């Protein structure tokens, strides 16, 4: 985005004043600091001064919409190395919180002083609550429908009849003279409709590149855990494996229980998940990883093959985020696909549909993005 600047300073031949000049200054402070950029000669740059960064954060929130502010904050952290400033409560109170900021905070968790942790948790909780509001209703509705369809029976007791689907299925028997439908086929649910129907295991790679996926997966894990008909287990891993299932009632606790960064041992993580499966025909395992395996590749593939052979529905997601096609290990993705477990990136909005297909044991609606 080019606004202008001092007369002739940036080649536009346009001098700015007032609000336009302030907007140009906010942009130049971030994007004009690259080597060789003439804007740097005009005093652009944030440096490492907390007061100047605080003022800049206030300026960009004044002049730009939230979506642009979030991009500029992300670029400031990446380009100018401002991560350390996020350890100051005053900075956290000034930023516009989003998924990527949460990922950065989680990566700094171990270095975070006690005076900052409560502020950081408040920032993370705000993002998590916003995500839950956006994603929970559709996720529950989509999966409830899939679970109900998988439990439907053709000779239900009267109290178990699904009247909506029964009427729809018998519209051909409508009698206009009586203004009624005479059903010759009843559709309903089994008496155990409220019991646990499916076991879901979310196995999440917590390497640094998976930060956004960890955030979304933790929120989805909490949503799934709130559904009585699904028993949800959440496992995070790098070279070690940690079961965070007992913290699923609070996704913020889950997120602060992760440790972004480090190596990756998918084989070890899948070995643990495999050991927790008691009903393979009613289990869905979702591996969320870029597949850069640091463990034993052949053992990893054997475990996936064994789980699928036992009846487990296995889903491999290269990312669970809005970022599009991620970097991933193409060889391992192809090997999983050969086993009947295609690996693909998934947006948060598509995740409920993917899970519904896995629950019903239908072909997965794989997006054409890879």
């Amino acid at each position: 985005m080019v606004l202008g600047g001092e007369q002739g300073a940036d080649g536009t031949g346009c001098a700015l004043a007032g609000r336009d000049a302030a907007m140009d200054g906010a942009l130049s402070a971030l994007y004009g600091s690259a080597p060789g950029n003439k804007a740097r000669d005009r005093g652009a740059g944030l440096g490492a001064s907390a007061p100047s960064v605080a003022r800049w954060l206030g300026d960009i929130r004044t002049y730009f919409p939230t979506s642009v502010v979030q991009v500029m904050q992300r670029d400031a952290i990446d380009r100018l190395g401002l991560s350390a400033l996020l350890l100051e409560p005053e900075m956290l109170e000034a930023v516009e919180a989003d998924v990527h900021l949460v990922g950065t905070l989680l990566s700094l968790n171990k270095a975070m002083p006690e005076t900052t942790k409560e502020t950081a948790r408040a920032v993370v909780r705000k993002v998590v609550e916003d995500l839950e509001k956006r994603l929970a209703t559709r996720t529950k509705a989509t999966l409830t429908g899939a679970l109900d369809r998988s439990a439907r029976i053709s000779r239900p007791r009267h109290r178990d009849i699904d009247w909506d689907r029964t009427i729809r299925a018998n519209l051909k028997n409508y009698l206009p003279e009586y203004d009624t439908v005479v059903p010759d086929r009843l559709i309903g649910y089994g008496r155990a409709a409220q019991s646990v129907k499916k076991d879901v295991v979310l196995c999440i790679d917590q390497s640094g590149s998976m930060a956004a996926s960890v955030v979304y997966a933790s929120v989805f894990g909490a949503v799934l855990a709130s559904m009585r008909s699904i028993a949800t287990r959440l496992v995070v891993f790098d070279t070690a494996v940690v079961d965070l299932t007992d913290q699923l009632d609070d996704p913020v606790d889950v997120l602060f229980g992760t440790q972004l960064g480090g190596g990756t041992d998918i084989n070890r993580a899948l070995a643990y998940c495999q050991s927790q499966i008691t009903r393979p025909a009613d289990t869905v395992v979702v591996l969320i990883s870029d597949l850069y395996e640091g463990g034993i590749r052949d053992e990893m593939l054997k475990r996936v093959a064994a789980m699928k052979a036992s009846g487990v529905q296995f889903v491999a997601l290269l990312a669970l985020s809005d970022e599009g096609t991620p970097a991933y290990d193409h060889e391992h993705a192809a090997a999983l696909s050969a086993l009947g477990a295609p690996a693909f990136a998934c947006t948060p909005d598509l995740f409920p549909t993917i899970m519904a297909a896995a629950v019903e044991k239908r072909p997965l609606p794989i997006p054409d993005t890879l």
Side-chain angles (χ1 to χ4, degrees):
M1 180 177 180
V2 177
L3 291 178
E6 297 175 6
Q7 188 72 34
D10 52 12
T12 64
C14 177
L16 299 178
R19 182 182 178 88
D20 289 340
M23 291 176 67
D24 184 61
L27 288 167
S28 296
L30 174 58
Y31 299 109
S33 59
N37 192 314
K38 291 183 180 180
R40 198 166 75 165
D41 298 331
R42 290 154 38 200
L46 295 174
S49 165
S52 67
V53 175
R55 286 193 297 271
W56 179 78
L57 287 169
D59 287 345
I60 63 174
R61 293 175 75 170
T62 299
Y63 300 129
F64 302 101
T66 298
S67 58
V68 175
V69 169
Q70 291 173 346
V71 171
M72 292 178 73
Q73 286 178 172
R74 199 180 317 158
D75 288 347
I77 292 169
D78 293 340
R79 290 165 60 96
L80 305 179
L82 300 183
S83 296
L85 291 177
L86 294 177
L87 302 181
E88 301 182 19
E90 296 79 6
M91 287 297 99
L92 287 178
E93 292 171 354
V95 295
E96 189 73 42
D98 67 348
V99 169
H100 299 281
L101 178 65
V102 169
T104 301
L105 290 177
L106 296 179
S107 68
L108 297 171
N109 184 26
K110 300 303 180 184
M112 196 174 290
E114 290 299 323
T115 54
T116 306
K117 284 188 175 180
E118 283 308 308
T119 306
R121 286 183 71 90
V123 170
V124 172
R125 186 169 298 281
K126 179 181 183 301
V127 174
V128 166
E129 289 176 350
D130 288 345
L131 289 177
E132 283 189 299
K133 289 177 184 177
R134 180 186 128 198
L135 301 171
T137 301
R138 180 169 174 266
T139 300
K140 290 181 179 180
T142 301
L143 287 178
T144 297
L147 291 164
D148 287 345
R149 285 189 293 273
S150 67
R152 198 177 304 159
I153 60 175
S154 59
R155 298 182 63 184
R157 295 172 181 267
H158 185 271
R159 65 183 178 182
D160 295 325
I161 295 174
D162 181 342
W163 287 108
D164 181 65
R165 290 192 176 94
T166 295
I167 291 171
R168 290 174 183 273
N170 289 278
L171 286 176
K172 64 181 183 298
N173 299 325
Y174 176 67
L175 300 179
E177 62 271 27
Y178 294 104
D179 193 27
T180 190
V181 170
V182 179
D184 61 9
R185 182 164 68 94
L186 299 178
I187 299 173
Y189 310 111
R191 298 187 67 185
Q194 297 304 314
S195 64
V196 173
K197 299 174 185 174
K198 292 290 179 179
D199 297 336
V200 173
V201 181
L202 298 179
C203 185
I204 309 169
D205 182 346
Q206 59 176 348
S207 56
S209 60
M210 301 296 293
S213 297
V214 170
V215 176
Y216 279 116
S218 298
V219 171
F220 277 119
V223 172
L224 295 177
S226 70
M227 301 177 64
R228 293 183 179 180
S229 52
I230 296 178
T232 306
R233 182 173 295 276
L234 188 142
V235 176
V236 299
F237 68 93
D238 41 32
T239 53
V241 180
V242 180
D243 192 326
L244 297 176
T245 302
D246 61 351
Q247 298 179 40
L248 273 173
D249 59 331
D250 188 343
V252 176
D253 285 342
V254 169
L255 289 171
F256 276 94
T258 63
Q259 177 59 61
L260 292 173
T264 307
D265 193 337
I266 303 172
N267 177 55
R268 175 177 290 186
L270 291 182
Y272 176 79
C273 294
Q274 191 176 24
S275 72
Q276 302 301 305
I277 296 173
T278 57
R279 305 189 306 156
D282 294 312
T283 298
V284 178
V285 173
V286 183
L287 171 66
I288 303 173
S289 173
D290 54 18
L291 301 180
Y292 287 111
E293 170 66 315
I296 306 172
R297 174 186 184 275
D298 290 342
E299 287 295 320
M300 174 189 76
L301 296 175
K302 286 180 181 177
R303 291 191 191 283
V304 174
M307 281 189 273
K308 286 188 62 63
S310 69
V312 171
Q313 295 297 106
F314 191 92
V315 180
L317 301 181
L318 301 169
L320 179 56
S321 69
D322 291 307
E323 301 307 302
T325 304
Y328 65 98
D329 190 305
H330 290 257
E331 182 180 347
H332 289 163
L336 286 175
S337 181
L339 294 175
F344 55 94
C346 176
T347 64
D349 289 337
L350 182 61
F351 184 77
T353 304
I354 296 291
M355 289 300 298
V359 164
E360 295 183 71
K361 300 186 177 181
R362 294 185 283 107
L364 301 180
I366 301 172
D368 186 19
T369 57
L370 300 182

